[in-house]
Amino acid sequence: MASETAEGTTLEVLRRLESGPRGLTESAAASRLADFGENTLPDRRTPSWPRRCVRALRDPFTAVLLCLGLVSAAVASWGTAVVILALVAVSCVLRASGEHRADRALDALRELVGGTATVLRRPDPSEPPELREVPVAELVPGDVLRLGPGDLVPADVRLLRARGLTVQQGALTGESAPVAKRAVDADAPDEPHLCFQGSTVASGSATAVVVATGSGTRFAAAHRVPDAPREGGAFERSVHGISWVLIRFMLLTPPLVLMANATLRDRGLETLPFAVAVAVGLTPEMLPVIVTTCLARGAVRLARAHGVIVKRLPALHDLGAVDVLCVDKTGTLTQDRPVVEKALDPAGRNDPEVLRWAAVGAWWTLQLAELPAPDALDEALLEAAGPVGEEYDGVDAVPFDPVRRTATAVVRGDLGRHTVVVTGAAEAVLERCATAPGEHDRLLALAAREADAGLRVLAVATADRPAGARTADARGLTFRGLVTFRDALAPTAAQAVRELAARGVTVKVLTGDHPATAARACRDLGLDPGEVRTATRLGDGPGEATVVARCTPEDKARVVAALRAAGHTVGFLGDGVNDVAALRAADVGIAPRSAVGVARESADVVLGEKDLTAIGHAITAGRHASGNIASYLRVTLSSNLGNVVAMLAAGLLLPFLPMLPAQVLAQNLCFDAAQLAFAHDRPGAAALRGPAVLRPRSFLRFAIGFGTLNALADLATFAVLALALNGPDAVDDEAVFHSAWFTENLLTQAAVMLLLRTGRRDAAGRAPGPVGLAAGGLAVVGLLLPPSPLGTALGMTALPVAYYLLPAVVLGLYALALAAARTRHRRRQP
């Protein structure tokens, strides 16, 4: 890595690279090219489309769908089989196309480092170096190259000489402002002496030595996936767990039915269709349809209302499950521009005159220095001070220089006199000031105190000089004071942070900035930074720290992975190449539309603007969809489990099958069709207040508890039909028994839909919601289907009126017990 190769003084780095200011010889460069390889991003093996599709079949959820389709085909339910197998095909194609888009993004990334570079090469050690244009792919560590305005930095380099150099690192860091770079002999925390592959020279020129190429550059490391393979998002983990539970039950049910009937009833293979139908009845056939519909509706609403694009539908559920959101500071919590905080005189008191002189210097620097782009601090000074500077006549200006760390403006004063205004770093300005003994250290301490508070500090000094005197490096200045700056807060950030906290989402700030600067921004937003940690103090993870400063791309991915390992569902918002690894490591990666291309392709969700408010809307939409999916799973798993248990028990007690296979499948079809209404339901406010996670164990406990209650209701109905109406001989009428139980099952399932959903409670007088209408329709089908011609074709018959009375009593008692159990369950929830 460049950070390792470039450590130490310039001389130590050159010795380690076995190079010098005159560059490499041609033979040495050729030898190193063979050793290190070409300066290109590492190749990735791109699997074929069939291979991608086959790999998608290994997903447990897709395996469940495939199994359901094959089971449906085995019992000649061709319509269901075709629909499910089509869903399997669509799922495979969508997954394969997503991987294909990601590969195309990486190919586009490689093109960023193409072209040529200007290097110093020597044909022979005794000959002088010559400037040569060589392909970027042929650069090797130790090459000395020249950089000028507009050049792309082709590798990670250490500066040997630089003059007014600023580089645009947006492709790597996502920052929009150019960054000043300078050649320094010793290492510095902010690495001003290093330029990284993928950056562009905005202004100035430099000579630099290459310290890393190819896969060793930060540019390559920034989009590299962490070593630990991603286990999938929260939705995928949840569905995997539920899917494997269903698979086990599906595989276990048919053998149990066959063995029990063969042992107790002398019925063997003739019960196979019934056993398969029971297995189908245990599984939620509409799960893929409900999931896809819920997530797709939420994604469409987000796109239309808030400009948020969900590229991967399961990511919408993952957003609803997010309990930790990791963001950068600049451009997310703050705008990419400074604003004046205060102006202080040498005694530390507020003094508008200090701001006025600083603004005068800024005005004439912008007018006379012919800068390639306006300086952000100068613009902030002029915005805060208002119309100043024009009352003077400008004479000369020297823009800010990274070496001198000062800017100078000269304006015309009294007759024959000029006023010199110097602004810059406190240390550099105070070196040019005439101060009393001890005053120099006191003023430096004042500047350090403001910097420790997270503010940027600009020192201001003036001097009166005769016209024509040398002013470029004026000494003996009068120290005027300090102007401090803070990052301008994003307009909606404070409100968005409060709303996220109300939704149970913890915001963590991962930034490359100074810890004090990040902590100050958090406090300004009302976010308690707590103990600010740096990347070097992370240990096993960020723990409870709200802010992690001095983060490299690898640090961000490491923090995200540690949070996931601790059991959190993590969202990450990033927009630069340096964020790609963290975007892929998170449960759901989020990028704004303005992000670099590879970041957008790596993200699961794309925002219209880089705004936390939009993430809040997306989280609400995700919880809305997840609430509906959870309602469906609770209702269908508990109802199906109860019915299957009752059918298995009745099958062993009755001299005939409790329900014909065709009747079981018809009942499943009616129930499944009614449950499509869950995709259009609206969860109550309680479902939106906290992270929405589909926990397999919780669903299994719920299904067992409420399924047992459902099975007891079914068995009570069986007892009523068999014993209470016409005595034990009533069970000899198979058609009557099948019809009565078919009706009771659908009525029971309608009650379950109404009582176990998490949707809103309809106000009095308001039309029933979609679930209410669907439950009513299901009850009507249960009552009207048996006496209809279709019921006759299925082996059912019309029931005498008396057969509706006592089962209705059982149904009423079951509804009361179900309501009581639901109330108790909700009270026990945290």
Side-chain angles (χ1 to χ4, degrees):
M1 292 293 296
S3 57
E4 300 171 357
T5 310
E7 290 178 353
T9 66
T10 303
L11 183 59
E12 290 172 344
V13 171
L14 289 173
R15 285 177 176 172
R16 192 179 303 130
L17 294 170
E18 298 181 0
S19 182
R22 302 173 68 217
L24 300 173
T25 63
E26 294 289 357
S27 58
S31 175
R32 296 187 185 193
L33 184 62
D35 293 338
F36 290 96
E38 291 190 343
N39 179 35
T40 58
L41 292 179
D43 290 332
R44 290 163 51 94
R45 292 184 178 180
T46 303
S48 63
W49 276 87
R51 188 185 202 81
R52 294 185 200 270
C53 293
V54 170
R55 191 164 56 188
L57 290 175
R58 294 182 299 182
D59 181 85
F61 183 47
T62 307
V64 169
L65 290 179
L66 183 61
C67 187
L68 286 174
L70 296 176
V71 168
S72 299
V75 297
S77 181
W78 301 112
T80 303
V82 169
V83 171
I84 293 178
L85 293 176
L87 286 172
V88 171
V90 170
S91 173
C92 293
V93 170
L94 290 178
R95 180 165 179 167
S97 62
E99 293 178 355
H100 178 66
R101 284 197 305 271
D103 287 339
R104 284 195 304 173
L106 292 177
D107 290 339
L109 189 63
R110 293 188 180 94
E111 295 177 2
L112 283 175
V113 294
T116 61
T118 303
V119 300
L120 285 173
R121 291 276 178 87
R122 291 173 291 158
D124 186 83
S126 61
E127 296 184 19
E130 300 175 357
L131 284 176
R132 290 190 50 194
E133 292 287 328
V134 301
V136 166
E138 295 181 8
L139 286 179
V140 294
D143 261 329
V144 174
L145 53 83
R146 297 281 178 85
L147 298 173
D151 286 348
L152 189 73
V153 180
D156 287 358
V157 301
R158 175 161 182 154
L159 298 176
L160 303 178
R161 292 185 298 277
R163 181 176 180 182
L165 182 67
T166 61
V167 298
Q168 176 58 263
Q169 298 183 153
L172 187 65
T173 65
E175 298 174 344
S176 60
V179 179
K181 297 288 185 178
R182 64 185 187 278
V184 295
D185 191 53
D187 294 335
D190 55 350
E191 300 178 323
H193 54 297
L194 298 178
C195 295
F196 303 106
Q197 184 183 58
S199 305
T200 304
V201 177
S203 62
S205 59
T207 301
V209 60
V210 175
V211 295
T213 60
S215 59
T217 64
R218 290 195 184 180
F219 192 75
H223 74 272
R224 186 180 300 136
V225 181
D227 293 338
R230 179 173 177 174
E231 298 176 358
F235 179 80
E236 293 172 349
R237 294 195 300 270
S238 300
V239 172
H240 287 184
I242 295 172
S243 299
W244 284 116
V245 170
L246 296 178
I247 289 173
R248 294 187 185 100
F249 273 104
M250 281 178 58
L251 296 177
L252 185 62
T253 299
L256 284 178
V257 173
L258 291 174
M259 288 188 296
N261 276 273
T263 302
L264 299 178
R265 291 292 177 184
D266 248 358
R267 295 193 297 257
L269 292 178
E270 64 267 23
T271 62
L272 178 59
F274 174 72
V276 172
V278 170
V280 173
L282 182 63
T283 57
E285 295 94 335
M286 289 294 107
L287 180 58
V289 179
I290 295 291
V291 167
T292 302
T293 305
C294 288
L295 297 179
R297 280 173 53 82
V300 170
R301 284 198 300 267
L302 268 179
R304 290 177 178 174
H306 305 291
V308 177
I309 307 301
V310 179
K311 296 169 54 182
R312 183 177 62 87
L313 282 183
L316 186 60
H317 168 270
D318 293 348
L319 274 171
V322 161
D323 61 344
V324 174
L325 177 65
C326 297
V327 302
D328 194 2
K329 176 184 71 67
T330 305
T332 305
L333 303 179
T334 63
Q335 300 180 54
D336 199 10
R337 65 181 183 86
V339 294
V340 172
E341 175 72 8
K342 53 189 173 182
L344 304 175
D345 66 10
R349 299 185 297 265
N350 288 326
D351 186 355
E353 190 69 7
V354 177
L355 176 61
R356 189 183 73 83
W357 277 117
V360 168
W363 170 262
W364 285 109
T365 300
L366 290 173
Q367 296 299 316
L368 299 177
E370 299 182 358
L371 297 172
D375 183 84
L377 293 184
D378 288 344
E379 291 185 328
L381 288 169
L382 295 174
E383 182 179 348
V388 297
E390 296 184 43
E391 66 271 25
Y392 296 98
D393 290 330
V395 176
D396 192 14
V398 180
F400 181 84
D401 182 86
V403 176
R404 292 195 314 271
R405 302 176 69 195
T406 59
T408 304
V410 182
V411 297
R412 202 178 307 278
D414 295 334
L415 183 63
R417 308 290 291 180
H418 289 166
T419 299
V420 181
V421 182
V422 178
T423 57
E427 300 89 342
V429 172
L430 282 169
E431 285 179 2
R432 293 166 170 77
C433 292
T435 55
E439 184 73 0
H440 183 275
D441 292 340
R442 188 187 68 79
L443 293 173
L444 282 179
L446 175 64
R449 186 167 63 249
E450 296 299 319
D452 290 342
L455 298 172
R456 297 174 67 177
V457 179
L458 183 75
V460 185
T462 63
D464 188 48
R465 292 284 189 270
R470 184 174 180 270
T471 59
D473 193 22
R475 299 281 173 170
L477 306 176
T478 300
F479 186 76
R480 291 284 183 173
L482 303 172
V483 179
T484 61
F485 303 82
R486 60 174 172 82
D487 291 328
L489 300 180
T492 60
Q495 178 65 23
V497 167
R498 288 193 294 270
E499 291 178 353
L500 287 170
R503 292 183 173 97
V505 178
T506 300
V507 176
K508 290 187 180 291
V509 181
L510 311 183
T511 178
D513 284 348
H514 189 279
T517 304
R520 177 60 184 249
C522 290
R523 285 193 293 269
D524 291 343
L525 288 167
L527 184 64
D528 182 11
E531 178 192 1
V532 179
R533 303 181 70 176
T534 59
T536 56
R537 296 174 50 215
L538 279 179
D540 294 332
E544 299 300 320
T546 300
V547 178
V548 182
R550 299 297 191 193
C551 280
T552 65
E554 295 86 352
D555 293 329
K556 292 181 180 181
R558 187 156 54 97
V559 169
V560 170
L563 289 168
R564 292 185 70 207
H568 296 286
T569 302
V570 184
F572 181 86
L573 173 62
D575 58 1
V577 175
N578 64 326
D579 296 322
V580 171
L583 285 168
R584 294 181 180 175
D587 288 285
V588 53
I590 309 167
R593 191 172 299 170
S594 58
V596 297
V598 69
R600 284 199 310 273
E601 289 294 338
S602 299
D604 304 305
V605 177
V606 177
L607 309 178
E609 301 292 340
K610 194 175 183 180
D611 185 359
L612 289 182
T613 302
I615 298 180
H617 292 310
I619 287 174
T620 299
R623 292 180 181 177
H624 187 154
S626 299
N628 288 341
I629 294 170
S631 290
Y632 166 76
L633 284 172
R634 276 193 289 269
V635 168
T636 193
L637 291 180
S638 58
S639 180
N640 287 357
L641 181 61
N643 286 339
V644 167
V645 171
M647 286 184 184
L648 292 176
L652 298 178
L653 297 173
L654 294 174
F656 52 83
L657 292 177
M659 196 176 288
L660 299 178
Q663 295 166 357
V664 174
L665 295 175
Q667 174 187 283
N668 289 339
L669 180 61
C670 295
F671 189 33
D672 290 339
Q675 289 183 103
L676 290 174
F678 282 116
H680 304 271
D681 199 17
R682 291 187 63 84
L688 306 178
R689 282 198 290 265
V693 181
L694 305 178
R695 295 184 174 89
R697 291 186 179 180
S698 174
F699 279 107
L700 186 59
R701 287 194 299 268
F702 187 96
I704 291 174
F706 284 88
T708 300
L709 187 60
N710 184 283
L712 291 176
D714 285 343
L715 291 175
T717 302
F718 158 67
V720 166
L721 293 174
L723 302 174
L725 291 180
N726 297 314
D729 293 337
V731 297
D732 292 337
D733 192 339
E734 297 183 23
V736 172
F737 186 90
H738 291 162
S739 302
W741 205 358
F742 182 91
T743 298
E744 188 272 340
N745 275 339
L746 289 189
L747 293 176
T748 301
Q749 289 167 336
V752 170
M753 287 181 62
L754 290 174
L755 295 175
L756 295 189
R757 71 187 180 113
T758 58
R760 65 171 184 253
R761 297 177 177 87
D762 294 320
R766 182 180 296 178
V771 174
L773 291 174
L778 185 63
V780 170
V781 171
L783 293 170
L784 299 183
L785 183 61
S788 69
L790 181 57
T792 303
L794 292 172
M796 293 185 286
T797 185
L799 296 175
V801 175
Y803 270 74
Y804 292 105
L805 298 179
L806 287 177
V809 173
V810 174
L811 182 62
L813 294 174
Y814 168 68
L816 292 175
L818 190 64
R822 179 198 61 183
T823 302
R824 182 171 178 270
H825 173 78
R826 288 180 177 175
R827 287 175 179 172
R828 295 175 62 183
Q829 295 303 302

